[in-house]
Amino acid sequence: MEHLKAVLTRHNITSSAIDKLEAFAPRDGFVVLAEEEFEELREYLGSFPVYRCLVPFMTDDNSNYWCLYVDGPLKNMVCYLSHEELDLAPRFRSLSSFLDTLHQHPHSNGIEDFEDHFFDFPSRQISPKYLLDREIIGALSTAFTAETDEDQLRTQTAFAIMALTSPTDIETLLYPFLDDEDPYVQERAIELLGFHRYQPAAAKLTALTVSAKPNGRTAAKVALKKITASRL
């Protein structure tokens, strides 16, 4: 993986994380990219602004990839690039965190085997790095206001803000997205209220089962079920 190692080193990714990646033993669902595929994918991603900060490093051999942010507010974080649905929200705080999770769960053979608590983001726990995450959210929020409604970057920036949102900041940071004109942003905000089992949002979600955009209405019903189940 000398090709990948050189790129990550150039972007100041820690040597300890690179060493972990180099030592990783491939298994079903998790294979470090070979040089040819790495270069082809890098060229393709470089053609789109929404991917500008990403370096792919691992594949499931089914056209899905794990990527590392190497620049911008999310630098060092890991996201999952699916060929089915664009969602570049961070899943892990760092390359080391991602690889440690794979080591701790040796029988997982793809993201579909991951449970919610495997991921660093989103989380129902208040992170010890809460203040750092708030700084990152601040930088993302500045970028969000500068992006246009038609811009994929706007949607993905919103996804990132919501993924990093702590349970203590739900009303401040998630609630505004419930009224967003982007149906995907609205849907994600609703989904995360369900993920957090945020009971104070029940009345809002009930209203959204009628007033939200079509995909949001369905998401609101699902979120309400999760909240109701958490009360039992």
Side-chain angles (χ1 to χ4, degrees), residues 21-32 58 61:
L21 183 61
E22 194 169 23
F24 178 78
R27 67 185 198 231
D28 287 347
F30 300 99
V31 180
V32 175
M58 191 174 287
D61 283 333

Side-chain angles (χ1 to χ4, degrees), residues 37-150:
E37 185 175 10
F38 173 76
E39 294 298 344
E40 289 178 356
L41 189 57
R42 282 267 284 169
E43 182 177 357
Y44 171 78
L45 295 181
S47 303
F48 302 93
V50 72
Y51 302 127
R52 65 189 176 194
C53 295
L54 297 179
V55 168
F57 64 89
M58 191 174 287
T59 179
D60 63 357
D61 283 333
N62 192 31
S63 300
N64 303 303
Y65 302 92
W66 291 96
C67 300
L68 183 68
Y69 279 94
V70 295
D71 200 2
L74 298 173
K75 182 173 180 177
N76 294 316
M77 295 185 181
V78 173
C79 71
Y80 182 71
L81 175 56
S82 168
H83 70 273
E84 294 183 347
E85 181 180 359
L86 184 61
D87 179 3
L88 304 179
R91 301 295 189 105
F92 294 93
R93 187 173 293 280
S94 66
L95 179 57
S96 286
S97 178
F98 169 74
L99 294 169
D100 288 345
T101 298
L102 293 188
H103 179 71
Q104 293 160 9
H105 303 282
H107 301 298
S108 60
N109 293 320
I111 193 170
E112 64 278 357
D113 292 338
F114 281 15
E115 298 178 26
D116 286 345
H117 66 272
F118 286 13
F119 300 110
D120 293 333
F121 310 109
S123 175
R124 299 185 189 94
Q125 308 299 318
I126 300 173
S127 170
K129 296 187 178 181
Y130 168 76
L131 293 179
L132 173 61
D133 292 344
R134 287 295 276 114
E135 289 182 13
I136 295 170
I137 288 171
L140 291 170
S141 296
T142 298
F144 180 77
T145 58
E147 290 156 359
T148 65
D149 290 346
E150 297 77 23

Side-chain angles (χ1 to χ4, degrees), residues 16-17 32-33 87 142 145 161 196 199:
S16 59
V32 175
L33 285 169
D87 179 3
T142 298
T145 58
I161 291 169
H196 286 288
Q199 296 186 14

Side-chain angles (χ1 to χ4, degrees), residues 173-190:
L173 296 176
L174 280 189
Y175 274 24
F177 290 118
L178 294 174
D179 299 318
D180 200 271
E181 287 301 310
D182 184 331
Y184 298 106
V185 170
Q186 182 188 57
E187 180 183 28
R188 179 59 54 85
I190 292 169

